[in-house]
Amino acid sequence: MTSVIFGGHPEMETSASHQFLYEARPSTVPFIQIERPFTESNVTAYQEAILTSDRWLLQFPLFWYQAPGLVSDFIQEVFNKEFLDTYSKNLKGKEFGVIISVGVPLRQYQAGGREQVTISELLRPFQSFARAIGLDYLPPFVLAQHSYQPEHIQQDNLVRFRQYLELPNQAKFAERNAWLIAQLKDIAGDFDQPLQEQLNLVAEEWAEEMENLGDIEAQLPKTSWR
């Protein structure tokens, strides 16, 4: 699956959250910063990047409960009538997602929370946009209060983000674990031999346990309604 991220932060270089997301993404996922003015040349480049990817994503901070104007201008300029008339069939079935940062705890975005509104409600226009042109809308990836989080939470966010970019939508437990095992084996090569051997051993034992879980799952009764 090929993916591309379009950066919609108007001051990307000053944002710790979005610099973190930029650095955390796999090297195989291109990051294209949206730039003004929208010339024929850069609009065509944006369109080509979308057409040649299976999954494309918009990354931006949530300012006063909405996307920066740069993002809405991007959608308006890129998805113009000529483009949609020509390539509407090519767009159908592509995956589209939104990567956002927020400055308050995520628990506040719910009924009864301080914000009294959910993230899904705030992002409804993007879901409607996706539905209108036949895109498959992904659950959003939300990075909340990144700079205030302890290191272990930031590391967890890094893993979640990479999985969000590389795994299928609604990936199963076994797929997520297979991904983690592959990542562990991959990074093992970055260390000296003693630690490398330990990491490979952990990966092998983890994979063996997953096989055991798979055998157990195969013996469980299946539900008929899902």
Side-chain angles (χ1 to χ4, degrees):
M1 174 179 290
T2 57
S3 302
V4 61
I5 300 172
F6 293 93
H9 197 306
E11 298 178 354
M12 174 75 179
E13 65 281 356
T14 65
S15 171
S17 295
H18 287 263
Q19 287 296 325
F20 168 81
L21 291 169
Y22 176 82
E23 295 293 340
R25 83 191 196 288
S27 60
T28 54
V29 178
F31 181 94
I32 301 174
Q33 177 63 38
I34 302 170
E35 296 181 350
R36 286 195 174 102
F38 289 95
T39 64
E40 182 178 352
S41 176
N42 63 19
V43 167
T44 299
Y46 300 152
Q47 292 170 339
E48 289 178 351
I50 291 170
L51 289 172
T52 55
S53 67
D54 302 309
R55 172 187 288 177
W56 66 279
L57 306 114
L58 281 170
Q59 178 182 316
F60 57 87
L62 208 59
F63 287 154
W64 284 110
Y65 313 103
Q66 56 190 310
L70 183 64
V71 173
S72 56
D73 289 347
F74 170 86
I75 292 176
Q76 181 175 331
E77 294 289 339
V78 171
F79 293 88
N80 55 54
K81 184 178 184 300
E82 181 182 356
F83 180 65
L84 292 176
D85 285 346
T86 305
Y87 296 105
S88 60
K89 291 183 179 179
N90 304 75
L91 294 170
K92 293 187 184 303
K94 288 185 180 292
E95 293 184 340
F96 165 64
V98 174
I99 303 163
I100 65 169
S101 63
V102 295
V104 300
L106 193 55
R107 66 178 181 276
Q108 301 295 354
Y109 285 97
Q110 60 181 318
R114 191 181 78 185
E115 303 302 326
Q116 294 289 335
V117 64
T118 68
I119 291 292
S120 291
E121 289 173 304
L122 292 173
L123 296 176
R124 190 74 68 189
F126 293 96
Q127 184 176 358
S128 297
F129 158 72
R131 179 195 55 78
I133 62 175
L135 301 171
D136 292 338
Y137 184 67
L138 302 172
F141 182 90
V142 185
L143 187 67
Q145 290 194 305
H146 170 74
S147 297
Y148 300 100
Q149 300 295 344
E151 184 176 355
H152 74 279
I153 297 296
Q154 293 185 2
Q155 291 298 319
D156 181 65
N157 287 334
L158 185 148
V159 172
R160 288 194 309 110
F161 185 53
R162 290 180 69 100
Q163 287 189 327
Y164 180 79
L165 295 178
E166 295 189 309
L167 288 176
N169 183 28
Q170 305 296 338
K172 297 179 180 179
F173 176 76
E175 291 175 306
R176 292 184 178 279
N177 276 274
W179 181 90
L180 287 167
I181 292 168
Q183 294 295 309
L184 193 58
K185 290 180 177 179
D186 186 50
I187 66 171
D190 296 335
F191 297 94
D192 294 334
Q193 186 173 359
L195 183 54
Q196 184 180 137
E197 291 176 352
Q198 291 179 29
L199 291 173
N200 282 324
L201 180 60
V202 170
E204 290 171 6
E205 291 180 347
W206 192 348
E208 186 175 332
E209 289 301 318
M210 286 303 301
E211 289 180 7
N212 293 335
L213 286 174
D215 293 339
I216 294 172
E217 183 181 18
Q219 299 174 31
L220 294 175
K222 306 297 182 184
T223 58
S224 59
W225 62 276
R226 294 286 284 182

